[in-house]
Amino acid sequence: MKETKHQHVFTSESVSEGHPDKVADRISDAILDACLKKDSSAHVACETMVGPDIVVNMGEITCKGFKDIDTESIARKVVAKIGYTIPEEKFAARTFKYENYIHGQSPDIARGVNRKSKQKQGAGDQGMMFGYATNETRSYMPAAIVYSHELLKMFARLRKRGGKYSWLRPDAKSQLSVVYEDGKPVRFDTVVISHQTTEEGAVNEKYEQIERLARDYLSKTGLLDDKTKFYINPTGKFVVGGPCGDSGLTGRKIIVDTYGGIASHGGGAFSGKDPSKVDRSAAYYARYAAKNIVAAGIAARCQIQVAYAIGVDKPVSFCVKTFGTATNGITNADIEKVLMSGKVFDFRPFALISDLKLLRPNGWSYEETAAYGHFGRDNFPWERLDRVEKLKKIFKIA
């Protein structure tokens, strides 16, 4: 009798850099980059709101020389880079109204983070953070979110070239439904793409072109077949988009930013926060640890939860799940013991910030993280695979 394979479908979405929430994230992170360049010990919690012809900055920033940072100029440069440059669309880099309500960090928060001994630096907030990795793709990321991101990055490259693709505009969403058999992705069931266009682009001929481009890209994955269903701009028209079509706020796309919903999320957003905020830095470090664990062959999937108390330097708890995929009789408790020891990964805020060099980005910027996911791109330091051999030795994996 033929063995029955367990099947399920999992769906993830991505949004482009021109989505209103991503415009807000990118402005917040560009301001963070400027602050850390001016003062590596800056404390930044920058929020951005965008809407029809308006950008508003709020939040708490304590930074030496902050008065010399032109946040309005930063916001306008970001919006121009994304591609919103046409005033008639009711949101453009040169014409939007700008308002700034940024103030200094609360002293009650600062006293838990600012310690005489940097090694004793406390967490910038309480909360729990998650890191995840899986061996189902080369980037150790879930297939649905990876390919959703990649589709939109491809369309962004075409759009920015102009020419025959000048009818594409910056706002877009993609959504992929992936069929799994016994935990492994085997095919795409459904592909949904909603891409803003000009009026001239809002025709079936252009939508068919979007589908052909998507099919050409996805055919390289080996997961596309003749049963895959495509929906392109299913409402029939998507011309009014970006902050003119909908308001945007920093931190509203946390599942897009992480693992597409296939792994847990602690709830805290990333963009606009300096690395003293463990919402961001500890989530990066947990991804770093999980990715190295999977790459070492300890498990096919790994999720790490770490929790902190504000002002306290050591994590209050760890929880590891390998979903029954661990090898060599290794248990979740065995992995937790190694994490708690600090011998391979040191989750104290000062240590993880130093390990990943989060205060002085080199070859990357926080602004880059604001679109197409914070994980799965090799230029970010939390994607390094430099602890694999040490983990193999500890867990006796050949």
Side-chain angles (χ1 to χ4, degrees):
M1 181 180 291
K2 188 176 181 181
E3 184 180 353
T4 302
K5 293 184 177 181
H6 172 70
Q7 281 196 352
H8 73 276
V9 179
F10 193 86
T11 301
S12 295
E13 76 158 350
S14 177
V15 299
S16 71
E17 64 203 73
H19 185 282
D21 295 329
K22 283 291 145 199
V23 174
D25 282 345
R26 189 163 173 178
I27 292 171
S28 293
D29 273 335
I31 291 172
L32 168 63
D33 282 327
C35 290
L36 290 179
K37 189 174 181 179
K38 181 74 69 173
D39 174 12
S40 64
S41 63
H43 291 165
V44 180
C46 181
E47 311 287 346
T48 304
M49 178 182 74
V50 298
D53 262 340
I54 190 167
V55 171
V56 181
N57 277 129
M58 296 162 284
E60 304 81 44
I61 294 180
T62 299
C63 169
K64 296 173 185 175
F66 181 66
K67 61 180 176 60
D68 298 323
I69 295 175
D70 186 349
T71 56
E72 179 177 351
S73 178
I74 291 170
R76 295 192 186 280
K77 286 178 182 177
V78 166
V79 171
K81 279 192 288 185
I82 291 170
Y84 288 116
T85 57
I86 304 172
E88 289 75 20
E89 292 182 342
K90 307 300 182 186
F91 184 79
R94 288 189 297 104
T95 56
F96 65 71
K97 180 182 177 183
Y98 180 79
E99 297 182 17
N100 186 346
Y101 301 98
I102 293 170
H103 57 85
Q105 185 183 45
S106 159
D108 293 341
I109 296 175
R111 69 195 298 257
V113 178
N114 297 332
R115 299 284 179 83
K116 290 182 179 179
S117 170
K118 287 187 176 181
Q119 286 77 6
K120 290 290 185 180
Q121 174 181 327
D125 201 355
Q126 71 176 48
M128 65 285 189
M129 299 84 212
F130 289 88
Y132 179 80
T134 172
N135 65 4
E136 68 188 66
T137 64
R138 293 170 65 181
S139 62
Y140 296 91
M141 287 287 287
I145 189 66
V146 164
Y147 298 128
S148 292
H149 287 324
E150 291 299 322
L151 275 177
L152 293 186
K153 284 194 282 186
M154 176 194 68
F155 284 115
R157 288 192 296 270
L158 295 175
R159 171 176 60 84
K160 290 177 180 180
R161 288 178 196 166
K164 65 178 180 177
Y165 298 110
S166 59
W167 48 272
L168 291 172
R169 299 302 296 135
D171 195 358
K173 288 185 177 184
S174 62
Q175 181 176 289
L176 267 67
S177 300
V178 178
V179 178
Y180 284 75
E181 283 187 358
D182 295 337
K184 295 294 183 182
V186 295
R187 59 178 295 268
F188 295 124
D189 181 77
T190 308
V191 178
V192 183
I193 301 172
S194 296
H195 207 303
Q196 182 189 16
T197 69
T198 62
E199 284 287 353
E200 293 75 17
V203 294
N204 287 336
E205 178 188 350
K206 300 299 186 185
Y207 298 168
E208 289 168 2
Q209 193 170 348
I210 290 174
E211 181 175 334
R212 284 196 300 272
L213 290 165
R215 283 185 180 274
D216 287 346
Y217 171 75
L218 293 176
S219 66
K220 301 171 187 176
T221 68
L223 299 176
L224 186 68
D225 62 24
D226 56 6
K227 294 181 181 178
T228 304
K229 300 180 290 291
F230 279 78
Y231 296 94
I232 310 298
N233 284 7
T235 66
K237 188 176 183 179
F238 182 14
V239 171
V240 178
C244 180
D246 194 6
S247 60
L249 294 170
T250 302
R252 282 207 302 199
K253 287 292 176 286
I254 58 177
I255 300 303
V256 172
D257 285 343
T258 53
Y259 308 103
I262 211 164
S264 299
H265 195 294
F270 298 158
S271 289
K273 296 178 180 178
D274 76 86
S276 73
K277 281 74 172 174
V278 285
D279 272 345
R280 183 173 210 162
S281 56
Y284 288 177
Y285 206 68
R287 159 66 178 174
Y288 176 44
K291 183 177 179 180
N292 276 266
I293 287 166
V294 172
I298 295 166
R301 297 170 61 202
C302 181
Q303 176 179 280
I304 297 170
Q305 184 203 58
V306 58
Y308 293 86
I310 190 169
V312 178
D313 64 331
K314 293 183 179 179
V316 299
S317 71
F318 286 98
C319 179
V320 171
K321 290 184 179 181
T322 53
F323 310 96
T325 68
T327 59
N328 289 17
I330 297 166
T331 68
N332 294 339
D334 293 333
I335 301 172
E336 289 169 3
K337 185 176 180 180
V338 169
L339 294 179
M340 287 186 284
S341 74
K343 293 179 181 178
V344 184
F345 302 100
D346 190 339
F347 277 81
R348 293 175 300 154
F350 170 79
L352 67 87
I353 289 169
S354 299
D355 197 357
L356 299 181
K357 296 179 173 56
L358 297 179
L359 292 176
R360 296 186 183 278
N362 183 18
W364 62 281
S365 68
Y366 284 102
E367 184 183 344
E368 290 177 72
T369 69
Y372 313 118
H374 291 244
F375 306 122
R377 287 182 275 171
D378 290 342
N379 60 311
F380 298 141
W382 49 91
E383 298 294 325
R384 299 187 323 237
L385 291 175
D386 56 353
R387 306 295 163 91
V388 169
E389 294 307 316
K390 194 168 187 178
L391 287 165
K392 284 184 174 180
K393 187 175 181 180
I394 289 171
F395 289 100
K396 297 180 173 57
I397 296 175

